[in-house]
Amino acid sequence: ETGVTQSPTHLIKTRGQQVTLRCSSQSGHNTVSWYQQALGQGPQFIFQYYREEENGRGNFPPRFSGLQFPNYSSELNVNALELDDSALYLCASSLARVGDGYTFGSGTRLTVV
Amino acid sequence: AQSVAQPEDQVNVAEGNPLTVKCTYSVSGNPYLFWYVQYPNRGLQFLLKYITGDNLVKGSYGFEAEFNKSQTSFHLKKPSALVSDSALYFCAVRGQAGTALIFGKGTTLSVSS
């Protein structure tokens, strides 16, 4: 059983650029969520995908968008990067059954300069 | 709306002493409660969860948590702390099936030798 893998592990971008982060779900998991964790803060829910459809979204602007593919892997895209987007981005997968928790990846550290 | 509160930014305890990290929650319907631990520059590791049944839940690395419905609390405990337990601890709640995890802001546990 493989866990959740994220790529890249670290990334530096310039303000105004666009970035794509990738996540491979744990085998058999059909739900993926993305979280933003700013330094010294708890993870903040960005959005969730279930079977390729977005089925939940946190308080993030539309420039944060995503995709889930038929193999349940996922992408997080952020347009028009701002300095405040600098954070650890965590991907987590689950089976979305009642009581299921999430398996988290190690995250992508994004720095916007 | 779901929410989680971790009232302590930091908990300090001596090695060998019992530890408690506090968490209270707000959710409509039955709560599904989780504790995760995060080591520096790493993703989140699952410790334990409460779904239903016995109010005392046992998890990884000797940790346990007590669910108290009347006080809407889910405090993390360990009878004897280790220096290696020093990390950032997050409480999270999940409401109905399919919804994402909502995290508290985290509590830093520092265990001194």
mmCIF file of all heavy atoms in Angstrom, chain A residues 48-98:
data_model
loop_
_atom_site.group_PDB
_atom_site.id
_atom_site.type_symbol
_atom_site.label_atom_id
_atom_site.label_comp_id
_atom_site.label_asym_id
_atom_site.label_seq_id
_atom_site.Cartn_x
_atom_site.Cartn_y
_atom_site.Cartn_z
ATOM 1 N N GLN A 48 -11.902 20.126 -1.834
ATOM 2 C CA GLN A 48 -11.901 18.668 -1.830
ATOM 3 C C GLN A 48 -12.510 18.164 -3.129
ATOM 4 O O GLN A 48 -13.454 18.740 -3.648
ATOM 5 C CB GLN A 48 -12.701 18.146 -0.635
ATOM 6 C CG GLN A 48 -12.862 16.632 -0.593
ATOM 7 C CD GLN A 48 -13.427 16.161 0.724
ATOM 8 O OE1 GLN A 48 -12.753 16.146 1.751
ATOM 9 N NE2 GLN A 48 -14.689 15.772 0.697
ATOM 10 N N TYR A 49 -11.976 17.055 -3.639
ATOM 11 C CA TYR A 49 -12.499 16.407 -4.831
ATOM 12 C C TYR A 49 -12.902 14.975 -4.504
ATOM 13 O O TYR A 49 -12.184 14.263 -3.790
ATOM 14 C CB TYR A 49 -11.462 16.401 -5.944
ATOM 15 C CG TYR A 49 -11.387 17.710 -6.682
ATOM 16 C CD1 TYR A 49 -10.674 18.775 -6.155
ATOM 17 C CD2 TYR A 49 -12.068 17.903 -7.876
ATOM 18 C CE1 TYR A 49 -10.625 19.984 -6.807
ATOM 19 C CE2 TYR A 49 -12.028 19.110 -8.539
ATOM 20 C CZ TYR A 49 -11.305 20.150 -8.000
ATOM 21 O OH TYR A 49 -11.266 21.348 -8.635
ATOM 22 N N TYR A 50 -14.043 14.606 -5.022
ATOM 23 C CA TYR A 50 -14.536 13.239 -4.877
ATOM 24 C C TYR A 50 -14.901 12.749 -6.260
ATOM 25 O O TYR A 50 -15.763 13.320 -6.918
ATOM 26 C CB TYR A 50 -15.750 13.204 -3.947
ATOM 27 C CG TYR A 50 -16.464 11.882 -3.896
ATOM 28 C CD1 TYR A 50 -15.850 10.769 -3.344
ATOM 29 C CD2 TYR A 50 -17.767 11.743 -4.399
ATOM 30 C CE1 TYR A 50 -16.502 9.540 -3.293
ATOM 31 C CE2 TYR A 50 -18.410 10.529 -4.348
ATOM 32 C CZ TYR A 50 -17.781 9.423 -3.796
ATOM 33 O OH TYR A 50 -18.425 8.212 -3.727
ATOM 34 N N ARG A 51 -14.213 11.715 -6.694
ATOM 35 C CA ARG A 51 -14.476 11.130 -8.013
ATOM 36 C C ARG A 51 -14.514 12.202 -9.097
ATOM 37 O O ARG A 51 -15.476 12.292 -9.873
ATOM 38 C CB ARG A 51 -15.754 10.312 -7.992
ATOM 39 C CG ARG A 51 -15.622 9.079 -7.119
ATOM 40 C CD ARG A 51 -16.828 8.170 -7.189
ATOM 41 N NE ARG A 51 -16.598 6.941 -6.442
ATOM 42 C CZ ARG A 51 -17.465 5.945 -6.322
ATOM 43 N NH1 ARG A 51 -18.637 6.032 -6.920
ATOM 44 N NH2 ARG A 51 -17.177 4.871 -5.620
ATOM 45 N N GLU A 52 -13.492 13.028 -9.107
ATOM 46 C CA GLU A 52 -13.214 14.038 -10.134
ATOM 47 C C GLU A 52 -14.104 15.279 -10.058
ATOM 48 O O GLU A 52 -13.970 16.169 -10.909
ATOM 49 C CB GLU A 52 -13.312 13.432 -11.543
ATOM 50 C CG GLU A 52 -12.382 12.238 -11.748
ATOM 51 C CD GLU A 52 -12.514 11.625 -13.127
ATOM 52 O OE1 GLU A 52 -12.304 12.350 -14.107
ATOM 53 O OE2 GLU A 52 -12.841 10.415 -13.200
ATOM 54 N N GLU A 53 -14.966 15.368 -9.059
ATOM 55 C CA GLU A 53 -15.819 16.546 -8.919
ATOM 56 C C GLU A 53 -15.484 17.271 -7.615
ATOM 57 O O GLU A 53 -15.315 16.633 -6.565
ATOM 58 C CB GLU A 53 -17.302 16.149 -8.899
ATOM 59 C CG GLU A 53 -17.807 15.509 -10.170
ATOM 60 C CD GLU A 53 -17.969 16.513 -11.293
ATOM 61 O OE1 GLU A 53 -18.221 17.707 -11.004
ATOM 62 O OE2 GLU A 53 -17.819 16.118 -12.466
ATOM 63 N N GLU A 54 -15.425 18.596 -7.670
ATOM 64 C CA GLU A 54 -15.217 19.365 -6.450
ATOM 65 C C GLU A 54 -16.475 19.254 -5.595
ATOM 66 O O GLU A 54 -17.576 19.586 -6.048
ATOM 67 C CB GLU A 54 -14.921 20.830 -6.767
ATOM 68 C CG GLU A 54 -14.578 21.646 -5.513
ATOM 69 C CD GLU A 54 -14.285 23.106 -5.826
ATOM 70 O OE1 GLU A 54 -13.306 23.379 -6.549
ATOM 71 O OE2 GLU A 54 -15.045 23.972 -5.338
ATOM 72 N N ASN A 55 -16.308 18.829 -4.345
ATOM 73 C CA ASN A 55 -17.492 18.673 -3.485
ATOM 74 C C ASN A 55 -17.343 19.409 -2.163
ATOM 75 O O ASN A 55 -18.022 19.103 -1.197
ATOM 76 C CB ASN A 55 -17.812 17.192 -3.245
ATOM 77 C CG ASN A 55 -16.857 16.538 -2.269
ATOM 78 O OD1 ASN A 55 -15.753 17.012 -2.071
ATOM 79 N ND2 ASN A 55 -17.295 15.451 -1.651
ATOM 80 N N GLY A 56 -16.466 20.379 -2.129
ATOM 81 C CA GLY A 56 -16.324 21.200 -0.939
ATOM 82 C C GLY A 56 -15.224 22.198 -1.169
ATOM 83 O O GLY A 56 -14.229 21.911 -1.853
ATOM 84 N N ARG A 57 -15.395 23.391 -0.625
ATOM 85 C CA ARG A 57 -14.413 24.438 -0.820
ATOM 86 C C ARG A 57 -14.347 25.295 0.428
ATOM 87 O O ARG A 57 -15.383 25.632 1.020
ATOM 88 C CB ARG A 57 -14.760 25.297 -2.025
ATOM 89 C CG ARG A 57 -13.650 26.249 -2.427
ATOM 90 C CD ARG A 57 -14.010 27.024 -3.685
ATOM 91 N NE ARG A 57 -12.885 27.888 -4.057
ATOM 92 C CZ ARG A 57 -11.921 27.533 -4.910
ATOM 93 N NH1 ARG A 57 -11.950 26.356 -5.485
ATOM 94 N NH2 ARG A 57 -10.935 28.359 -5.185
ATOM 95 N N GLY A 58 -13.150 25.656 0.796
ATOM 96 C CA GLY A 58 -12.953 26.559 1.918
ATOM 97 C C GLY A 58 -12.953 27.998 1.446
ATOM 98 O O GLY A 58 -13.330 28.307 0.319
ATOM 99 N N ASN A 59 -12.510 28.891 2.302
ATOM 100 C CA ASN A 59 -12.555 30.317 2.023
ATOM 101 C C ASN A 59 -11.307 30.760 1.249
ATOM 102 O O ASN A 59 -10.491 31.533 1.753
ATOM 103 C CB ASN A 59 -12.689 31.089 3.345
ATOM 104 C CG ASN A 59 -12.962 32.550 3.129
ATOM 105 O OD1 ASN A 59 -13.508 32.936 2.103
ATOM 106 N ND2 ASN A 59 -12.553 33.368 4.082
ATOM 107 N N PHE A 60 -11.184 30.289 0.048
ATOM 108 C CA PHE A 60 -10.063 30.654 -0.815
ATOM 109 C C PHE A 60 -10.605 31.230 -2.115
ATOM 110 O O PHE A 60 -11.643 30.787 -2.610
ATOM 111 C CB PHE A 60 -9.179 29.430 -1.095
ATOM 112 C CG PHE A 60 -8.231 29.111 0.025
ATOM 113 C CD1 PHE A 60 -8.673 28.418 1.136
ATOM 114 C CD2 PHE A 60 -6.916 29.523 -0.028
ATOM 115 C CE1 PHE A 60 -7.820 28.142 2.196
ATOM 116 C CE2 PHE A 60 -6.041 29.247 1.012
ATOM 117 C CZ PHE A 60 -6.503 28.552 2.125
ATOM 118 N N PRO A 61 -9.884 32.198 -2.701
ATOM 119 C CA PRO A 61 -10.382 32.845 -3.924
ATOM 120 C C PRO A 61 -10.306 31.909 -5.115
ATOM 121 O O PRO A 61 -9.603 30.888 -5.076
ATOM 122 C CB PRO A 61 -9.429 34.040 -4.086
ATOM 123 C CG PRO A 61 -8.190 33.633 -3.371
ATOM 124 C CD PRO A 61 -8.631 32.791 -2.217
ATOM 125 N N PRO A 62 -10.998 32.275 -6.209
ATOM 126 C CA PRO A 62 -11.054 31.415 -7.403
ATOM 127 C C PRO A 62 -9.703 31.178 -8.066
ATOM 128 O O PRO A 62 -9.579 30.220 -8.849
ATOM 129 C CB PRO A 62 -11.988 32.196 -8.338
ATOM 130 C CG PRO A 62 -12.803 33.040 -7.435
ATOM 131 C CD PRO A 62 -11.909 33.414 -6.299
ATOM 132 N N ARG A 63 -8.702 32.007 -7.766
ATOM 133 C CA ARG A 63 -7.404 31.745 -8.385
ATOM 134 C C ARG A 63 -6.760 30.462 -7.858
ATOM 135 O O ARG A 63 -5.752 30.005 -8.399
ATOM 136 C CB ARG A 63 -6.470 32.960 -8.197
ATOM 137 C CG ARG A 63 -6.184 33.337 -6.776
ATOM 138 C CD ARG A 63 -5.446 34.683 -6.705
ATOM 139 N NE ARG A 63 -5.074 34.977 -5.331
ATOM 140 C CZ ARG A 63 -3.979 34.489 -4.762
ATOM 141 N NH1 ARG A 63 -3.148 33.738 -5.456
ATOM 142 N NH2 ARG A 63 -3.709 34.773 -3.505
ATOM 143 N N PHE A 64 -7.355 29.899 -6.814
ATOM 144 C CA PHE A 64 -6.984 28.552 -6.347
ATOM 145 C C PHE A 64 -7.956 27.577 -7.020
ATOM 146 O O PHE A 64 -9.170 27.635 -6.769
ATOM 147 C CB PHE A 64 -7.102 28.424 -4.834
ATOM 148 C CG PHE A 64 -6.010 29.101 -4.064
ATOM 149 C CD1 PHE A 64 -6.030 30.477 -3.875
ATOM 150 C CD2 PHE A 64 -4.970 28.372 -3.514
ATOM 151 C CE1 PHE A 64 -5.020 31.104 -3.160
ATOM 152 C CE2 PHE A 64 -3.961 28.995 -2.786
ATOM 153 C CZ PHE A 64 -3.991 30.365 -2.620
ATOM 154 N N SER A 65 -7.438 26.725 -7.862
ATOM 155 C CA SER A 65 -8.294 25.766 -8.552
ATOM 156 C C SER A 65 -7.623 24.403 -8.556
ATOM 157 O O SER A 65 -6.441 24.277 -8.249
ATOM 158 C CB SER A 65 -8.568 26.213 -9.983
ATOM 159 O OG SER A 65 -7.361 26.250 -10.730
ATOM 160 N N GLY A 66 -8.410 23.407 -8.910
ATOM 161 C CA GLY A 66 -7.850 22.068 -8.858
ATOM 162 C C GLY A 66 -8.453 21.130 -9.868
ATOM 163 O O GLY A 66 -9.394 21.470 -10.599
ATOM 164 N N LEU A 67 -7.880 19.941 -9.887
ATOM 165 C CA LEU A 67 -8.369 18.864 -10.747
ATOM 166 C C LEU A 67 -8.150 17.549 -10.018
ATOM 167 O O LEU A 67 -7.186 17.404 -9.253
ATOM 168 C CB LEU A 67 -7.585 18.808 -12.060
ATOM 169 C CG LEU A 67 -7.867 19.829 -13.160
ATOM 170 C CD1 LEU A 67 -6.855 19.666 -14.276
ATOM 171 C CD2 LEU A 67 -9.291 19.673 -13.680
ATOM 172 N N GLN A 68 -9.042 16.604 -10.281
ATOM 173 C CA GLN A 68 -8.783 15.232 -9.870
ATOM 174 C C GLN A 68 -8.924 14.374 -11.112
ATOM 175 O O GLN A 68 -9.869 14.537 -11.887
ATOM 176 C CB GLN A 68 -9.746 14.770 -8.788
ATOM 177 C CG GLN A 68 -9.367 13.403 -8.222
ATOM 178 C CD GLN A 68 -10.334 12.903 -7.165
ATOM 179 O OE1 GLN A 68 -11.513 13.242 -7.176
ATOM 180 N NE2 GLN A 68 -9.838 12.087 -6.233
ATOM 181 N N PHE A 69 -8.010 13.461 -11.284
ATOM 182 C CA PHE A 69 -7.961 12.639 -12.483
ATOM 183 C C PHE A 69 -8.605 11.273 -12.225
ATOM 184 O O PHE A 69 -8.843 10.898 -11.074
ATOM 185 C CB PHE A 69 -6.510 12.501 -12.942
ATOM 186 C CG PHE A 69 -5.866 13.817 -13.251
ATOM 187 C CD1 PHE A 69 -5.027 14.434 -12.331
ATOM 188 C CD2 PHE A 69 -6.110 14.466 -14.450
ATOM 189 C CE1 PHE A 69 -4.450 15.667 -12.597
ATOM 190 C CE2 PHE A 69 -5.542 15.688 -14.729
ATOM 191 C CZ PHE A 69 -4.713 16.303 -13.800
ATOM 192 N N PRO A 70 -8.890 10.527 -13.311
ATOM 193 C CA PRO A 70 -9.549 9.212 -13.133
ATOM 194 C C PRO A 70 -8.798 8.269 -12.205
ATOM 195 O O PRO A 70 -9.412 7.394 -11.588
ATOM 196 C CB PRO A 70 -9.622 8.675 -14.566
ATOM 197 C CG PRO A 70 -9.673 9.908 -15.410
ATOM 198 C CD PRO A 70 -8.791 10.911 -14.727
ATOM 199 N N ASN A 71 -7.492 8.414 -12.104
ATOM 200 C CA ASN A 71 -6.742 7.550 -11.174
ATOM 201 C C ASN A 71 -6.707 8.151 -9.769
ATOM 202 O O ASN A 71 -5.991 7.649 -8.914
ATOM 203 C CB ASN A 71 -5.323 7.304 -11.687
ATOM 204 C CG ASN A 71 -4.484 8.576 -11.708
ATOM 205 O OD1 ASN A 71 -4.985 9.671 -11.421
ATOM 206 N ND2 ASN A 71 -3.222 8.439 -12.041
ATOM 207 N N TYR A 72 -7.492 9.205 -9.566
ATOM 208 C CA TYR A 72 -7.665 9.888 -8.278
ATOM 209 C C TYR A 72 -6.471 10.732 -7.866
ATOM 210 O O TYR A 72 -6.487 11.292 -6.770
ATOM 211 C CB TYR A 72 -8.059 8.922 -7.163
ATOM 212 C CG TYR A 72 -9.332 8.175 -7.456
ATOM 213 C CD1 TYR A 72 -9.432 6.804 -7.234
ATOM 214 C CD2 TYR A 72 -10.438 8.846 -7.976
ATOM 215 C CE1 TYR A 72 -10.613 6.121 -7.506
ATOM 216 C CE2 TYR A 72 -11.605 8.172 -8.258
ATOM 217 C CZ TYR A 72 -11.692 6.802 -8.027
ATOM 218 O OH TYR A 72 -12.848 6.132 -8.304
ATOM 219 N N SER A 73 -5.457 10.850 -8.714
ATOM 220 C CA SER A 73 -4.413 11.821 -8.423
ATOM 221 C C SER A 73 -4.988 13.217 -8.622
ATOM 222 O O SER A 73 -6.098 13.378 -9.174
ATOM 223 C CB SER A 73 -3.198 11.595 -9.321
ATOM 224 O OG SER A 73 -3.542 11.834 -10.670
ATOM 225 N N SER A 74 -4.260 14.218 -8.180
ATOM 226 C CA SER A 74 -4.841 15.555 -8.155
ATOM 227 C C SER A 74 -3.787 16.627 -8.392
ATOM 228 O O SER A 74 -2.585 16.391 -8.209
ATOM 229 C CB SER A 74 -5.509 15.787 -6.793
ATOM 230 O OG SER A 74 -6.046 17.092 -6.688
ATOM 231 N N GLU A 75 -4.267 17.777 -8.841
ATOM 232 C CA GLU A 75 -3.429 18.971 -8.987
ATOM 233 C C GLU A 75 -4.074 20.132 -8.263
ATOM 234 O O GLU A 75 -5.305 20.250 -8.228
ATOM 235 C CB GLU A 75 -3.273 19.345 -10.469
ATOM 236 C CG GLU A 75 -2.391 18.448 -11.272
ATOM 237 C CD GLU A 75 -2.244 18.925 -12.712
ATOM 238 O OE1 GLU A 75 -2.931 19.892 -13.101
ATOM 239 O OE2 GLU A 75 -1.451 18.317 -13.435
ATOM 240 N N LEU A 76 -3.223 20.988 -7.738
ATOM 241 C CA LEU A 76 -3.658 22.281 -7.199
ATOM 242 C C LEU A 76 -2.966 23.346 -8.038
ATOM 243 O O LEU A 76 -1.743 23.324 -8.191
ATOM 244 C CB LEU A 76 -3.250 22.404 -5.733
ATOM 245 C CG LEU A 76 -3.258 23.820 -5.132
ATOM 246 C CD1 LEU A 76 -4.666 24.389 -5.094
ATOM 247 C CD2 LEU A 76 -2.667 23.807 -3.718
ATOM 248 N N ASN A 77 -3.755 24.230 -8.602
ATOM 249 C CA ASN A 77 -3.218 25.325 -9.392
ATOM 250 C C ASN A 77 -3.496 26.650 -8.688
ATOM 251 O O ASN A 77 -4.607 26.864 -8.185
ATOM 252 C CB ASN A 77 -3.883 25.364 -10.775
ATOM 253 C CG ASN A 77 -3.634 24.103 -11.559
ATOM 254 O OD1 ASN A 77 -2.526 23.840 -11.995
ATOM 255 N ND2 ASN A 77 -4.665 23.291 -11.706
ATOM 256 N N VAL A 78 -2.487 27.481 -8.647
ATOM 257 C CA VAL A 78 -2.665 28.811 -8.075
ATOM 258 C C VAL A 78 -2.176 29.828 -9.094
ATOM 259 O O VAL A 78 -1.024 29.769 -9.543
ATOM 260 C CB VAL A 78 -1.893 28.993 -6.753
ATOM 261 C CG1 VAL A 78 -2.251 30.336 -6.117
ATOM 262 C CG2 VAL A 78 -2.182 27.856 -5.785
ATOM 263 N N ASN A 79 -3.076 30.725 -9.490
ATOM 264 C CA ASN A 79 -2.739 31.783 -10.442
ATOM 265 C C ASN A 79 -2.412 33.075 -9.702
ATOM 266 O O ASN A 79 -2.809 33.270 -8.545
ATOM 267 C CB ASN A 79 -3.912 32.033 -11.389
ATOM 268 C CG ASN A 79 -4.185 30.840 -12.284
ATOM 269 O OD1 ASN A 79 -3.254 30.188 -12.749
ATOM 270 N ND2 ASN A 79 -5.452 30.555 -12.513
ATOM 271 N N ALA A 80 -1.704 33.957 -10.419
ATOM 272 C CA ALA A 80 -1.426 35.301 -9.895
ATOM 273 C C ALA A 80 -0.920 35.230 -8.458
ATOM 274 O O ALA A 80 -1.520 35.810 -7.535
ATOM 275 C CB ALA A 80 -2.675 36.177 -9.991
ATOM 276 N N LEU A 81 0.168 34.533 -8.270
ATOM 277 C CA LEU A 81 0.692 34.301 -6.933
ATOM 278 C C LEU A 81 0.942 35.591 -6.172
ATOM 279 O O LEU A 81 1.425 36.585 -6.727
ATOM 280 C CB LEU A 81 1.989 33.494 -7.016
ATOM 281 C CG LEU A 81 1.822 32.002 -7.301
ATOM 282 C CD1 LEU A 81 3.155 31.383 -7.695
ATOM 283 C CD2 LEU A 81 1.219 31.289 -6.104
ATOM 284 N N GLU A 82 0.603 35.534 -4.888
ATOM 285 C CA GLU A 82 0.849 36.654 -3.973
ATOM 286 C C GLU A 82 1.836 36.193 -2.895
ATOM 287 O O GLU A 82 1.980 34.992 -2.644
ATOM 288 C CB GLU A 82 -0.467 37.095 -3.339
ATOM 289 C CG GLU A 82 -1.506 37.535 -4.350
ATOM 290 C CD GLU A 82 -2.837 37.894 -3.704
ATOM 291 O OE1 GLU A 82 -2.949 37.793 -2.470
ATOM 292 O OE2 GLU A 82 -3.761 38.287 -4.467
ATOM 293 N N LEU A 83 2.466 37.169 -2.262
ATOM 294 C CA LEU A 83 3.452 36.827 -1.236
ATOM 295 C C LEU A 83 2.826 35.977 -0.127
ATOM 296 O O LEU A 83 3.461 35.053 0.391
ATOM 297 C CB LEU A 83 4.062 38.102 -0.641
ATOM 298 C CG LEU A 83 4.856 38.984 -1.594
ATOM 299 C CD1 LEU A 83 5.389 40.211 -0.867
ATOM 300 C CD2 LEU A 83 6.005 38.221 -2.241
ATOM 301 N N ASP A 84 1.565 36.276 0.207
ATOM 302 C CA ASP A 84 0.879 35.545 1.274
ATOM 303 C C ASP A 84 0.542 34.099 0.906
ATOM 304 O O ASP A 84 0.085 33.345 1.758
ATOM 305 C CB ASP A 84 -0.414 36.262 1.676
ATOM 306 C CG ASP A 84 -0.138 37.503 2.507
ATOM 307 O OD1 ASP A 84 1.024 37.674 2.946
ATOM 308 O OD2 ASP A 84 -1.064 38.301 2.703
ATOM 309 N N ASP A 85 0.764 33.745 -0.339
ATOM 310 C CA ASP A 85 0.543 32.342 -0.737
ATOM 311 C C ASP A 85 1.699 31.450 -0.302
ATOM 312 O O ASP A 85 1.617 30.226 -0.408
ATOM 313 C CB ASP A 85 0.370 32.235 -2.257
ATOM 314 C CG ASP A 85 -0.870 32.945 -2.760
ATOM 315 O OD1 ASP A 85 -1.841 33.084 -1.981
ATOM 316 O OD2 ASP A 85 -0.861 33.377 -3.935
ATOM 317 N N SER A 86 2.756 32.052 0.190
ATOM 318 C CA SER A 86 3.880 31.270 0.703
ATOM 319 C C SER A 86 3.402 30.421 1.872
ATOM 320 O O SER A 86 2.883 30.956 2.866
ATOM 321 C CB SER A 86 5.006 32.194 1.160
ATOM 322 O OG SER A 86 5.535 32.916 0.079
ATOM 323 N N ALA A 87 3.562 29.101 1.756
ATOM 324 C CA ALA A 87 3.028 28.193 2.770
ATOM 325 C C ALA A 87 3.433 26.766 2.427
ATOM 326 O O ALA A 87 4.002 26.499 1.363
ATOM 327 C CB ALA A 87 1.499 28.275 2.847
ATOM 328 N N LEU A 88 3.112 25.867 3.340
ATOM 329 C CA LEU A 88 3.214 24.436 3.073
ATOM 330 C C LEU A 88 1.851 23.978 2.570
ATOM 331 O O LEU A 88 0.830 24.209 3.228
ATOM 332 C CB LEU A 88 3.580 23.684 4.352
ATOM 333 C CG LEU A 88 3.735 22.166 4.254
ATOM 334 C CD1 LEU A 88 4.942 21.798 3.385
ATOM 335 C CD2 LEU A 88 3.868 21.549 5.650
ATOM 336 N N TYR A 89 1.823 23.358 1.411
ATOM 337 C CA TYR A 89 0.571 22.873 0.837
ATOM 338 C C TYR A 89 0.510 21.358 1.019
ATOM 339 O O TYR A 89 1.384 20.624 0.549
ATOM 340 C CB TYR A 89 0.458 23.268 -0.632
ATOM 341 C CG TYR A 89 0.195 24.747 -0.776
ATOM 342 C CD1 TYR A 89 1.235 25.664 -0.755
ATOM 343 C CD2 TYR A 89 -1.113 25.236 -0.865
ATOM 344 C CE1 TYR A 89 0.995 27.018 -0.827
ATOM 345 C CE2 TYR A 89 -1.363 26.594 -0.947
ATOM 346 C CZ TYR A 89 -0.303 27.479 -0.927
ATOM 347 O OH TYR A 89 -0.552 28.825 -0.988
ATOM 348 N N LEU A 90 -0.523 20.944 1.702
ATOM 349 C CA LEU A 90 -0.692 19.540 2.047
ATOM 350 C C LEU A 90 -1.822 18.927 1.250
ATOM 351 O O LEU A 90 -2.903 19.517 1.113
ATOM 352 C CB LEU A 90 -0.990 19.396 3.543
ATOM 353 C CG LEU A 90 0.124 19.836 4.494
ATOM 354 C CD1 LEU A 90 -0.422 19.974 5.908
ATOM 355 C CD2 LEU A 90 1.266 18.842 4.460
ATOM 356 N N CYS A 91 -1.557 17.753 0.752
ATOM 357 C CA CYS A 91 -2.575 16.956 0.075
ATOM 358 C C CYS A 91 -2.919 15.786 0.985
ATOM 359 O O CYS A 91 -2.043 15.228 1.662
ATOM 360 C CB CYS A 91 -2.020 16.460 -1.254
ATOM 361 S SG CYS A 91 -3.055 15.255 -2.107
ATOM 362 N N ALA A 92 -4.186 15.417 1.012
ATOM 363 C CA ALA A 92 -4.610 14.300 1.837
ATOM 364 C C ALA A 92 -5.658 13.492 1.087
ATOM 365 O O ALA A 92 -6.509 14.054 0.401
ATOM 366 C CB ALA A 92 -5.193 14.799 3.157
ATOM 367 N N SER A 93 -5.604 12.178 1.228
ATOM 368 C CA SER A 93 -6.591 11.338 0.553
ATOM 369 C C SER A 93 -7.364 10.509 1.562
ATOM 370 O O SER A 93 -6.906 10.265 2.683
ATOM 371 C CB SER A 93 -5.924 10.440 -0.491
ATOM 372 O OG SER A 93 -5.135 9.440 0.119
ATOM 373 N N SER A 94 -8.543 10.086 1.120
ATOM 374 C CA SER A 94 -9.442 9.348 2.005
ATOM 375 C C SER A 94 -10.407 8.535 1.165
ATOM 376 O O SER A 94 -10.494 8.710 -0.046
ATOM 377 C CB SER A 94 -10.213 10.331 2.890
ATOM 378 O OG SER A 94 -11.217 9.688 3.634
ATOM 379 N N LEU A 95 -11.174 7.682 1.861
ATOM 380 C CA LEU A 95 -12.237 6.940 1.191
ATOM 381 C C LEU A 95 -13.577 7.627 1.345
ATOM 382 O O LEU A 95 -14.560 7.161 0.817
ATOM 383 C CB LEU A 95 -12.317 5.517 1.748
ATOM 384 C CG LEU A 95 -11.372 4.526 1.089
ATOM 385 C CD1 LEU A 95 -11.352 3.214 1.845
ATOM 386 C CD2 LEU A 95 -11.796 4.282 -0.357
ATOM 387 N N ALA A 96 -13.622 8.703 2.105
ATOM 388 C CA ALA A 96 -14.837 9.498 2.263
ATOM 389 C C ALA A 96 -15.978 8.749 2.935
ATOM 390 O O ALA A 96 -17.127 9.154 2.844
ATOM 391 C CB ALA A 96 -15.323 10.061 0.923
ATOM 392 N N ARG A 97 -15.679 7.661 3.587
ATOM 393 C CA ARG A 97 -16.716 6.984 4.349
ATOM 394 C C ARG A 97 -16.821 7.644 5.710
ATOM 395 O O ARG A 97 -15.881 8.254 6.207
ATOM 396 C CB ARG A 97 -16.386 5.500 4.515
ATOM 397 C CG ARG A 97 -16.335 4.717 3.225
ATOM 398 C CD ARG A 97 -15.872 3.306 3.442
ATOM 399 N NE ARG A 97 -14.587 3.254 4.128
ATOM 400 C CZ ARG A 97 -13.845 2.164 4.205
ATOM 401 N NH1 ARG A 97 -14.265 1.041 3.648
ATOM 402 N NH2 ARG A 97 -12.702 2.167 4.849
ATOM 403 N N VAL A 98 -17.981 7.487 6.315
ATOM 404 C CA VAL A 98 -18.177 8.041 7.652
ATOM 405 C C VAL A 98 -17.080 7.541 8.580
ATOM 406 O O VAL A 98 -16.819 6.347 8.668
ATOM 407 C CB VAL A 98 -19.554 7.612 8.197
ATOM 408 C CG1 VAL A 98 -19.667 7.897 9.680
ATOM 409 C CG2 VAL A 98 -20.657 8.322 7.438
#
